[in-house]
Amino acid sequence: MAEPKKLFIKTYGCQMNVYDSERMAEALGASGYVTTQSADDADMILLNTCHIREKAAEKVYSELGRFKALKAANPDLKIGVAGCVAQAEGAEIMRRQPLVDLVVGPQTYHRLPAMEAAVRAGARAVDTDFPQEDKFDHLPKGPRAMRGPSAFLTVQEGCDKFCAFCVVPYTRGAEVSRPVARVLAEAEDLVSRGVREITLLGQNVNAYHGDGAGGAWGLARLIRELARIEGLERIRFTTSHPNDMEDDLIAAHGDEPKLMPYLHLPVQSGSDRILKAMNRKHTAADYLRVIDRLRAARPDLLLSGDFIVGFPGETEADFQDTLALVRAVGYGQAYSFKYSARPGTPAAERAGVADDVASDRLARLQALLAQQQREIQEAMVGREVSVLLEKPGRMAGQMVGKSEYLHAVHVTDPRAKSGDIARVRIVESRPNSLAGVLV
Ligand code: 5AD
Ligand code: SF4
């Protein structure tokens, strides 16, 4: 039998890319590839890229440059670029980097086996279509590659919101929801193989409207149906838009015990003027009202968010509104970014804020967010949480898992086993994790 060929995939960006990388590995598995953890012995290297901010794409180009020596040592090595940079600049990548054999966008990676064959035959292949067919119908149906008791499941892709700064509607395309039956079948398969927590993924996941019995189902109904799967203990979803936070989804946070008390709900800015310029179609007060209703349903809900500073036209007063919103919410965790102009987006036409001003704002915002995160973590000390143990930690005998609130929790105890949901008392707060003891 021929030696299996080795595939090395490096994943950038969001959780959906992590999910897509697993699907690409399965698709190429049918062409005789097994995955490897190192680029050095690979027969194919795939970079699954992110285009959301400028540096992400630049990192890809510098990474590609580093493969030159590998390709010189192994002329049979094939190099591919997948994901959103591939979608946005497919032909440009081929021009700029002759080392690249293959470019595949997020909606066509089910065609990878055919592309791989073409590339092995000496061609260079680019496919960045938005095809009519659904890639999920054309991917291998066999067992999914397993990575512990917590898994991602894509239920929705693309976005119709067109925030003025964002490339997602262009790279991932229009909003599409997977049918309910497909989602349930994938979830049941995961659970039958030991998964206890599923995170539903979508660029706009709470706009989910998949075909189900009797018509389109919203996300809340999907979650309630998933919750009936025996053995599935925890459900999460990400990422949501404030305008799609419907009543039934808010209610589910209060009455569906398997839905975890953590929500990533980006707001981007606290200034109504900037929100309008961003085409967000909500005000700061609208957002705060949604948060109030969520907390009325689930008082211990831990909130996470995304923020952009230095959006074109942002003044110090606008930025103060963002700080005020952050103070009003109290985030357990958050991501914040300096605005970067993305070619092809409406905001890219507008003059940006001076870089040193934006950097200064980012530092002030991050200091506030870090303080909130620390305070909320410190308030966990002494409390009991339940932790889904996932994998060994860095220290001997240590296991690491996630609490209901998505805090990473370390436990050192020989009884701690991967896949268990353990009651843990938190004893210490560390910079990005908690330490606890089994109770
Ligand atoms: N510049 C900076 N941050 C951006 N994001 C999206 N586009 C940009 C951009 N052009 C951020 C938003 C989004 C997160 C995934 O990335 O905060 O919610
Ligand atoms: Fe991008 Fe999210 Fe806005 Fe859609 S809702 S355009 S994915 S920031």
Side-chain angles (χ1 to χ4, degrees), residues 253-434:
H253 282 275
D255 59 27
E256 179 43 69
K258 291 186 179 180
L259 184 57
M260 291 292 103
Y262 172 96
L263 180 67
H264 181 61
L265 194 61
V267 63
Q268 315 297 354
S269 169
S271 153
D272 288 346
R273 220 174 56 79
I274 294 299
L275 287 168
K276 191 158 198 294
M278 287 176 163
N279 193 32
R280 289 287 295 181
K281 301 197 170 81
H282 62 77
T283 62
D286 295 334
Y287 179 83
L288 292 172
R289 252 189 311 274
V290 171
I291 301 284
D292 281 348
R293 294 176 57 217
L294 283 160
R295 281 183 165 151
R298 181 81 203 222
D300 61 340
L301 186 71
L302 189 138
L303 284 151
S304 162
D306 289 345
F307 298 90
I308 295 176
V309 302
F311 187 78
E314 186 189 71
T315 63
E316 176 63 23
D318 294 318
F319 176 65
Q320 288 297 331
D321 289 346
T322 297
L323 295 179
L325 179 139
V326 169
R327 284 191 201 99
V329 173
Y331 288 92
Q333 198 262 342
Y335 305 91
S336 48
F337 313 100
K338 208 157 54 164
Y339 168 74
S340 80
R342 310 312 293 126
T345 60
E349 312 292 311
R350 309 174 201 162
V353 166
D355 190 58
D356 56 335
V357 173
S359 298
D360 175 63
R361 287 179 192 162
L362 185 64
R364 285 147 69 202
L365 174 60
Q366 290 185 337
L368 175 59
L369 289 167
Q371 180 200 335
Q372 291 189 337
Q373 177 177 341
R374 197 169 51 243
E375 283 169 9
I376 287 173
Q377 280 191 197
E378 279 166 4
M380 299 301 299
V381 175
R383 279 183 60 184
E384 261 184 41
V385 294
S386 67
V387 177
L388 172 58
L389 297 165
E390 288 177 35
K391 55 181 184 229
R394 254 180 307 213
M395 311 289 209
Q398 194 185 53
M399 287 292 295
V400 54
K402 295 278 166 55
S403 76
E404 306 91 313
Y405 308 102
L406 209 61
H407 284 128
V409 179
H410 293 272
V411 177
T412 306
D413 191 309
R415 291 169 300 166
K417 284 199 306 292
S418 172
D420 284 356
I421 296 180
R423 291 299 292 171
V424 171
R425 199 176 65 251
I426 301 301
V427 296
E428 191 191 338
S429 168
R430 296 171 181 163
N432 275 305
S433 67
L434 301 169

Side-chain angles (χ1 to χ4, degrees), residues 57-73:
E58 285 315 311
K59 263 188 248 162
V60 169
Y61 282 111
S62 68
E63 185 83 35
L64 284 170
R66 269 184 269 154
F67 295 143
K68 197 168 184 166
L70 285 180
K71 200 146 179 169

